[in-house]
Amino acid sequence: MSDLELTDVSRWYGNVVAVNDVNMHIGPGVTGLLGPNGAGKSTLLSMMAGLLPPSAGTVTLDGQPTRGHVEMYRRIGLVPVQESLYDFLTGEQFVRLNAELQKIPQPKLAAKHAIGLLDMAEAADRKISTYSKGMKQRIKVASALVHDPAVLLLDEPFNGMDPIQRRHMMGLLTQFAEQGRTIVFSSHILEEVEQIARQVEVVVAGRHAASGDFAAIRRLMTDRPNQYIVRSSDDRKLASLLLAEPSVRGARLRGTNALEVEADDFGGFAQIVPKLARDNGIRIFELNPTDESLESVFSYLVNT
């Protein structure tokens, strides 16, 4: 098991600040690095991998700097966002090249195993120039996995993949996390992150905007009400009762069979509804938060 630590990390290019004073601790499991295009995700991943030195601060893996230490590179696999590959090589040659660079004892066998994990065996003898975008993504992942790294860093890994390939990749990342590996993948597509990563690191304009379980982050946003859908045996009566509660900002009927409610106190609201229903003979059929999705968290953070 491996832990990545970023301490007061900044990176600038001339007068352009790409990453500004970021602190992160990333442990085993799947962590989603979330942010809009240009937020600094690729720069952060490159620094985690040791390919790019921070302009200030430190990046360490289990207490050792990732930059300039060969033994660290052998523990890290990086899947860059760039699509430029050695197109004149076959998929098998490309993956085996990385195995040889990592000085793996049996590079051909290691390459075959990694290619099989990504379901690319049938295309392994074809030149990369003939691959689709999704296939290029998968062969890049195979190359990053060939030396069996403890840490896997992936920059927009699902680009160009069809739904079947995405499901396969998500299952693979989940499997690796269950083995105790540290997985970090970046995305600007909220659904991708939400499906496999409860742990989220949000980056906005080069700054670390939030960290943790995305639902927990949402609940900490006390200046914005939590939103719910409630279905009951008497929505009108329940609405009038809820509006008398200090923690409820608003309640309105949605169509003929649901109630939309905004409340300040997540924990308090969860206790109020069943009590009001029990005391007034109302049956609750459904009570669900509607804005705990990663999309809601992301939209809030970006627009704050």
Side-chain angles (χ1 to χ4, degrees), residues 35-175:
N37 288 326
K41 302 187 301 297
S42 296
T43 299
L44 279 169
L45 287 172
S46 293
M47 288 191 288
M48 290 179 195
L51 295 183
L52 187 66
S55 301
T58 60
V59 181
T60 61
L61 176 59
D62 295 334
Q64 295 295 319
T66 58
R67 175 75 176 176
H69 288 73
V70 174
E71 65 273 15
M72 290 292 105
Y73 299 148
R74 292 190 176 125
R75 298 177 58 194
I76 298 172
L78 174 66
V79 181
V81 70
Q82 292 82 8
E83 291 184 25
S84 55
L85 300 173
Y86 297 108
D87 286 354
F88 57 89
L89 296 177
T90 67
E92 191 273 339
Q93 289 171 335
F94 176 66
V95 177
R96 181 156 47 90
L97 173 63
N98 195 44
E100 290 171 351
L101 290 172
Q102 293 286 355
K103 297 183 178 179
I104 294 174
Q106 295 180 299
K108 189 170 183 177
L109 284 177
K112 183 178 180 180
H113 175 70
I115 289 168
L117 286 175
L118 274 298
D119 199 22
M120 286 288 291
E122 291 185 3
D125 293 330
R126 286 170 45 191
K127 287 189 176 181
I128 293 175
S129 59
T130 68
Y131 284 4
S132 66
K133 187 173 182 178
M135 293 170 73
K136 287 184 177 180
Q137 285 292 96
R138 286 188 286 159
I139 208 67
K140 283 195 296 183
V141 176
S143 178
L145 285 173
V146 73
H147 59 295
D148 195 27
V151 178
L152 186 60
L153 309 172
L154 307 99
D155 200 350
E156 302 281 357
F158 304 110
N159 280 354
M161 291 188 182
D162 62 35
I164 294 175
Q165 292 168 351
R166 287 188 182 209
R167 282 197 299 272
H168 178 76
M169 177 69 75
M170 288 179 178
L172 197 60
L173 295 182
T174 301
Q175 178 184 332

Side-chain angles (χ1 to χ4, degrees), residues 2-3 10 14 27 33 43 56 64-65 90 96 125 128 134 144 163 216 231 252 257 274 298:
S2 299
D3 293 273
S10 297
L33 184 60
T43 299
Q64 295 295 319
T90 67
R96 181 156 47 90
D125 293 330
I128 293 175
R231 289 185 172 84
R252 59 185 177 274
N257 64 346
F298 185 46

Side-chain angles (χ1 to χ4, degrees), residues 227 239 243 250-255 258-262:
Q227 299 176 358
L243 287 170
R252 59 185 177 274
L253 293 170
R254 189 175 82 170
L259 186 63
E260 293 180 348
V261 183
E262 292 184 349

